[in-house]
Amino acid sequence: MDVIVETNPQTASQAGTDLLATLIRRKPTLKAVLATGNTPMDMYSRLAALKNAGKIDAGQMTVFQLDAYLDVPDTDPRSLYGWMDRSFIQPMDIPATQVHRFRETSDDPHGDCVRYADTIRASGGFDLAVLGLGPNGHLGFNEPPSAADATTRVVTLTPESIISNAVYWGGIARVPKVSVTVGMDALLASSQIILIATGAHKHDILRRTVEGPVTPDVPSSFLQTAAKVTIITDRAAWEGDR
Ligand code: GLP
């Protein structure tokens, strides 16, 4: 694992932007699965600024949705696809034909997950996974316990995730309880993984991610076993509140 410890969340975002820009320039047809959540948003904005300045062209990229709440339509402000669309797909001008996604409302979510996993496999897997870090070590919505071979699937959220996501949606009652997520299997097989985690509130789980035992109880700890992982963090998350 490479670890980049920046001074603050802004410089961490810039480091992430520089790395993403390098990867897109190196391979314009990059196939990437991308997290929503608050942490990567500044990085995506900075990348869009580079694109608007003509310094990068992401028009050949293929983007895969990482996770979604079930039965939340795109028009709902809680839709994770809607969030990804606003924060990355539109600003980066990714053509709709190069976007793969979960169906968020479906009569057959289990079958949809199998079909989505097939789509990922058929495309040859991910060149890049950009991930955030859940407070319980979830990656996407791979909630603990999630083994390294956990597949793309329907997941019931843990109480901890419901509480942590309540800030986005104005209270616990408004957080959907069931989600779908790209599996640990596809994420860990990605040629490269960037994990971005900033702020003192991520300190404990970041430490357990990088140096704790590798265990399904902390799904992010499996990153210790992945091929190429870059962790982008800041002092508060890396060192804690000292
Ligand atoms: C959410 C999402 C993840 C995200 C993580 C961290 O629940 N399912 O995809 O990476 O939690 O979010 P944040 O960056 O807001 O801390």
Side-chain angles (χ1 to χ4, degrees), residues 66 102 117 120 126 139 142 147-153 181-189:
L66 173 62
F102 287 102
I120 295 167
F126 306 127
L139 299 175
N142 286 283
D149 61 358
T151 56
T152 297
R153 67 201 185 286
T181 185
V182 170
M184 295 293 291
D185 55 354
L187 294 179
L188 294 173

Side-chain angles (χ1 to χ4, degrees), residues 35-40 66-67 131-134 138 140-141 165 168 202:
T36 49
N38 284 334
T39 318
L66 173 62
D67 51 12
L131 301 175
L133 181 60
H138 72 211
F141 271 133
N165 281 310
Y168 304 137
K202 295 281 170 88

Side-chain angles (χ1 to χ4, degrees), residues 49-82:
L50 282 186
K51 184 241 159 206
N52 292 337
K55 294 185 175 159
I56 188 174
D57 179 0
Q60 295 180 61
M61 263 183 86
T62 298
V63 170
F64 291 81
Q65 183 178 11
L66 173 62
D67 51 12
Y69 296 115
L70 262 196
D71 294 328
V72 172
D74 291 357
T75 47
D76 189 304
R78 296 170 297 174
S79 160
L80 296 186
Y81 180 78

